[in-house]
Amino acid sequence: ALAPRCGWVLPGLEQRLAVPAAVSPATARPYAAAAAKAAKKDAKRGRQEKAKEAAKEKPLPRRRPLMSKPVDDVYLTWLYRRPSYGLEQAVGMLKRFQELDFTHPKQFVYINVFLDMALQKKKKVDPFSSGVALPHRFTDEVNKVLVFTENEQEAEVAREHGAAIVGGVELIKWILEDEIQADFYVAVPAIIPKLIPLRNKLKKKYPSTRRNSLGSDIPRMVQFFRECHEYSVEDESVIKTRIARLDMPTEHIIANLKTIIQDICTFKPSNFDPIVQRLVIRSSTSEGLLLNLDGILPQVEKAEEKEEEDATDEDQQKPVQESVST
């Protein structure tokens, strides 16, 4: 008779179940690769840590202090401090460079102004643009001015004084679609509430009292913006702009430069460090000359000191006057 099915055991089955199954080479290969990769990463990390420790232990090379003034005509520039020049001296050097290099005598003169935009508590001055009326014009170029007004008499006055475009709210659509563009936008106070759709489009050129482009004196605004010189901050802290032509008299070049610098200084309160940190002047074909800022920046501190001295003098004079009156 056959034994019950549940009790059947095939020959050798017990031995197979007792012996653990061997791992095939194909199954073991991924585990070996992962282990080798981890070991390689550990070795690389160890080398990097040793390199960092060696760099820390190695003393930093001592930089030689820069010398002030070269002795010879030929020298290595990186071994000496960059010389700075007075404004009149630098303009004279630019004129001399033009004669020696036989370049165009009417080339433009440029300045690069490096700014300190920092304020208190990690705040800073926002990049800005501005227009300034130079005392001595150096180009015949005239800016294109658009005037917003709905008054027919004001529109006629704007046209007579040289406005390129004059109109009311009907211009908004054409400006938004870039069909009409201008260098400057001027408006009278009565129409400004209707120009709000242009705020994001015009951005810094949107009419405002801060830029002197919003007011009732249309002739003055149109004349100013037709002839004004515009500049703006680039790369968050640098202004690069032309200021004159090299063939102009030296005093005219200096007057234009000082006018622009004084306008730049109005964008930062005087109780902070001066906004102008470095100033370089050059012509179209010359090298840049670093300027000495003495006599160029507005003398705010000296004015404050003078007021304090006047106040102390008044305090000292009061007791004397009282004693005389008694």
Side-chain angles (χ1 to χ4, degrees), residues 270-321:
S270 59
N271 55 337
F272 292 94
D273 293 335
I275 189 171
V276 178
Q277 292 296 297
R278 285 192 301 136
L279 180 58
V280 176
I281 187 171
R282 64 176 180 85
S283 66
S284 301
T285 59
S286 74
E287 62 178 290
L289 302 176
L290 181 64
L291 293 178
N292 189 343
L293 296 178
D294 294 339
I296 298 178
L297 301 183
Q299 302 298 322
V300 178
E301 296 180 359
K302 292 184 179 179
E304 293 177 354
E305 292 176 359
K306 186 176 181 181
E307 291 177 0
E308 293 178 358
E309 291 177 358
D310 294 341
T312 54
D313 292 341
E314 290 178 0
D315 294 338
Q316 292 175 359
Q317 291 175 1
K318 284 181 181 180
V320 176
Q321 293 175 355

Side-chain angles (χ1 to χ4, degrees), residues 79-213:
L79 296 179
Y80 296 86
R81 298 190 189 96
R82 185 175 182 179
S84 61
Y85 304 93
L87 183 52
E88 187 173 354
Q89 179 188 8
V91 175
M93 293 174 66
L94 295 182
K95 291 178 176 290
R96 183 60 177 162
F97 293 159
Q98 180 271 321
E99 295 174 358
L100 295 175
D101 297 336
F102 298 98
T103 54
H104 200 281
K106 293 187 177 181
Q107 58 186 293
F108 287 117
V109 178
Y110 298 84
I111 57 171
N112 294 352
V113 190
F114 300 88
L115 307 176
D116 178 12
M117 310 283 276
L119 297 173
Q120 62 182 359
K121 296 182 179 179
K122 297 183 179 181
K123 295 182 180 180
K124 62 180 182 179
V125 180
D126 295 328
F128 56 87
S129 61
S130 179
V132 59
L134 297 177
H136 306 283
R137 296 195 67 210
F138 59 91
T139 177
D140 296 330
E141 298 176 1
V142 177
N143 299 316
K144 187 177 180 180
V145 182
L146 184 150
V147 178
F148 289 107
T149 180
E150 293 180 323
N151 186 298
E152 188 58 34
Q153 294 180 352
E154 293 177 342
E156 186 63 26
V157 171
R159 294 188 188 97
E160 291 177 356
H161 285 80
I165 304 171
V166 183
V169 293
E170 71 276 4
L171 299 178
I172 295 178
K173 176 184 177 182
W174 303 108
I175 295 174
L176 292 175
E177 295 178 355
D178 294 329
E179 295 292 335
I180 294 178
Q181 294 180 349
D183 298 316
F184 295 97
Y185 299 83
V186 172
V188 295
I191 198 176
I192 198 67
K194 301 178 182 180
L195 302 181
I196 295 178
L198 294 176
R199 185 183 293 274
N200 292 333
K201 178 68 175 179
L202 300 182
K203 297 180 180 179
K204 294 180 180 180
K205 293 188 176 182
Y206 187 78
S208 65
T209 54
R210 175 68 180 84
R211 291 177 54 87
N212 298 319
S213 57

Side-chain angles (χ1 to χ4, degrees), residues 42-53:
D42 293 339
K44 184 178 180 180
R45 191 179 297 110
R47 290 195 299 269
Q48 291 177 350
E49 291 178 356
K50 290 181 179 179
K52 289 181 180 179
E53 292 177 358

